[in-house]
Amino acid sequence: MRARASLAASMALLAAIALAGCAGEAEAAPSPHPTLVRELPSDLSARGVLLAAVLLSEGDVERAVADGLVTPAEVDEAIRAIEREELDVWAQRAETEIAED
Amino acid sequence: MGNRGLTALAAGIAAAVLVIGGIGTAAYASDVRTTVETALSSLGVQASEELVDDLVEDDALDDALEDDGVTDGDDAEGDAADGDDAEGDEAEGGDAESTDEELEESFLAWNERAELWRTAFAEVKTEFDACRAEAEGGKGDCAVAFSGRLQVAFAETLVEFLESQSAAIAALPEEDRAAAQEELDRRLSKAIDKLDRTQARVADRDAARLERAMTKLGADEESTDADAESPSDTGSAGKPGKPEKPGKPDKVGGSGNSGGGGKPDHAGKPGGK
């Protein structure tokens, strides 16, 4: 009787260890960059951020905003992304969105 | 028979128009595409073909991209030899140019320039932050001014980088020095040219924006005066100053931009040349 209880306890312990191990493994997986997963407001898109970045360096962002090509929010985000060197993350998001379309 | 001939002629003309139009469109699209690709690459983004396709599909991009050789007719001089700067004066196309561009890329590996560029960017960004802190409503103007500064900073880093390469040339074997120096001089000359044109373009744009802002300000004042003078039809003459225009929204288009447009003083970043 005691042996049976001890066996059950051991198995429970093993199961717990295994579960904890799995959980640990799951946690160890790199979490995606917040930019890739956060929900974007309606005036912000990954494509727009990239376009804004291009226009900031090579074009007339004022005209682009006036033409509705990019939004002020996208211009702001592009500036932030350039500053933080995160434009590639926006590109990754845009690539994903294109692939999903 | 005559009708058939006319039909054939019309079809021929239509086909020719389509072909010529197609060629023109293709060339233009290619220019825009190259500009977008180069700009992304300069910003450290490796974009897939699909992404670039997606980015360039909007026709309005043609207007917003200011390519000296394409958009600005008065900048045409010297452009035949000026299509290969790393940042994208590449509108003219052609084999010689693409070869030149490759040379440019190997000559100007982005990593070598990156530190220089980041420093320049940090300076511009500081001004941008200050602008935004000051500007209550017209933050978009700060972004516009920032864009101009950024473009000038890009051009400046190219000049600074090339200027810094003289020491590297001195370290080359003697037989290679002359050719390398000649190439460096050629590129430096073009880079300085590009910097001048960028500064002029940004200054023009700032001036135009300032003018628009002044005009708008004048118009606003006039309409305010008119409102104040006109007899009130609702009998609320005692409230001429009804706050009907509460801080025009963040219009990047140049309204209320005594701050944003008023940044032409940036043009001569010390040490640019």
Side-chain angles (χ1 to χ4, degrees), chain B residues 86 99-110 112 161 165 183 187:
Chain B
T99 309
D100 214 6
E101 202 167 35
E102 284 166 17
L103 279 172
E104 184 82 39
E105 276 174 12
S106 58
F107 194 77
L108 287 176
W110 166 249
E112 293 180 57
F161 175 80
Q165 294 308 294
E183 180 64 10
R187 289 170 189 278

Side-chain angles (χ1 to χ4, degrees), chain A residues 50-61 64-65 69-70, chain B residues 39 61 64-66 147 151 205:
Chain A
L50 288 175
L51 265 186
V54 168
L55 290 161
L56 280 166
S57 64
E58 286 292 339
D60 186 343
V61 79
V65 172
L69 196 59
V70 292
Chain B
L61 188 60
L65 277 176
E66 287 183 345
S147 171
Q151 287 170 25
R205 201 197 300 169

Side-chain angles (χ1 to χ4, degrees), chain A residues 47 58-60 62-63 95, chain B residues 48 54 63-64 87 151 212:
Chain A
R47 179 182 183 276
E58 286 292 339
D60 186 343
E62 180 181 15
R63 184 190 288 187
E95 303 267 17
Chain B
S48 69
D54 188 55
D63 297 328
E87 293 78 25
Q151 287 170 25
R212 282 201 302 276

Side-chain angles (χ1 to χ4, degrees), chain B residues 99-228:
Chain B
T99 309
D100 214 6
E101 202 167 35
E102 284 166 17
L103 279 172
E104 184 82 39
E105 276 174 12
S106 58
F107 194 77
L108 287 176
W110 166 249
N111 284 341
E112 293 180 57
R113 258 179 83 199
E115 202 49 46
L116 208 53
W117 160 239
R118 284 190 194 107
T119 309
F121 178 84
E123 284 175 21
V124 177
K125 182 66 171 49
T126 305
E127 285 181 25
F128 172 69
D129 289 339
C131 174
R132 284 178 65 104
E134 284 171 24
E136 287 177 10
K139 288 178 181 172
D141 290 333
C142 297
V144 173
F146 174 84
S147 171
R149 292 281 288 116
L150 201 62
Q151 287 170 25
V152 171
F154 247 172
E156 281 175 344
T157 57
L158 182 60
V159 171
E160 285 175 34
F161 175 80
L162 290 170
E163 284 175 342
S164 74
Q165 294 308 294
S166 292
I169 286 178
L172 288 173
E174 197 174 343
E175 64 270 22
D176 296 336
R177 266 182 234 157
Q181 187 63 52
E182 194 180 329
E183 180 64 10
L184 180 64
D185 289 345
R186 187 181 74 82
R187 289 170 189 278
L188 185 57
S189 159
K190 286 200 303 182
I192 289 171
D193 222 37
K194 173 168 176 139
L195 174 59
D196 288 345
R197 282 186 288 122
T198 305
Q199 285 176 329
R201 189 180 64 211
V202 169
D204 284 351
R205 201 197 300 169
D206 283 346
R209 202 165 57 247
L210 191 61
E211 196 180 326
R212 282 201 302 276
M214 296 301 283
T215 307
K216 184 150 186 23
L217 193 66
D220 284 352
E221 276 172 6
E222 268 176 31
S223 74
T224 308
D225 291 347
D227 284 351

